[in-house]
Amino acid sequence: MKHYIIAKFKDKQDTERLFPEISEFFRGVLKLEGVEGVELHKSNSSRDNRYSLMIVLTLTEKGLEVFDASDIHREWKEIYGPKLESKAIFDCE
């Protein structure tokens, strides 16, 4: 399955400033059982109604459970959650 995390930063500068850090942070998910891949994409648009970042995890069904319960997921929300204006989560095959 694909698990999409689509996020919009409060401060537009955070997209460029934090992208390398967030990319490195999310490489850690590859150590989790059932996580088969991770991709990060920055938006190429500066329009106000666009999101900043898209994180795509390729997971088994068990991998989604493992990710949701992981320290990485908790830390993502604790560290980066306050910097976000909004986010959307979407799962599909």
Side-chain angles (χ1 to χ4, degrees):
M1 86 167 22
K2 297 287 187 180
H3 177 73
Y4 295 84
I5 303 167
I6 306 167
K8 184 175 186 178
F9 290 110
K10 293 174 186 174
D11 180 348
K12 288 179 182 266
Q13 301 303 314
D14 280 348
T15 304
E16 289 299 323
R17 185 172 58 241
L18 296 176
F19 188 78
E21 175 183 318
I22 293 171
S23 295
E24 182 64 30
F25 178 82
F26 267 93
R27 282 192 193 110
V29 301
L30 295 171
K31 297 175 186 172
L32 300 175
E33 178 187 355
V35 177
E36 299 172 341
V38 61
E39 300 172 46
L40 280 86
H41 305 274
K42 290 185 293 185
S43 175
N44 63 359
S45 175
S46 60
R47 294 181 180 182
D48 287 337
N49 65 343
R50 298 296 195 264
Y51 280 71
S52 312
L53 174 71
M54 181 173 67
I55 302 160
V56 183
L57 302 179
T58 304
L59 307 164
T60 64
E61 191 170 325
K62 170 91 173 165
L64 182 58
E65 294 174 27
V66 170
F67 172 69
D68 281 345
S70 71
D71 288 342
I72 291 173
H73 186 236
R74 180 185 49 76
E75 290 170 10
W76 159 252
K77 293 200 288 186
E78 286 177 6
I79 296 168
Y80 301 101
K83 298 176 185 319
L84 300 179
E85 179 179 315
S86 60
K87 70 177 180 174
I89 307 299
F90 183 81
D91 298 321
C92 66
E93 287 303 316

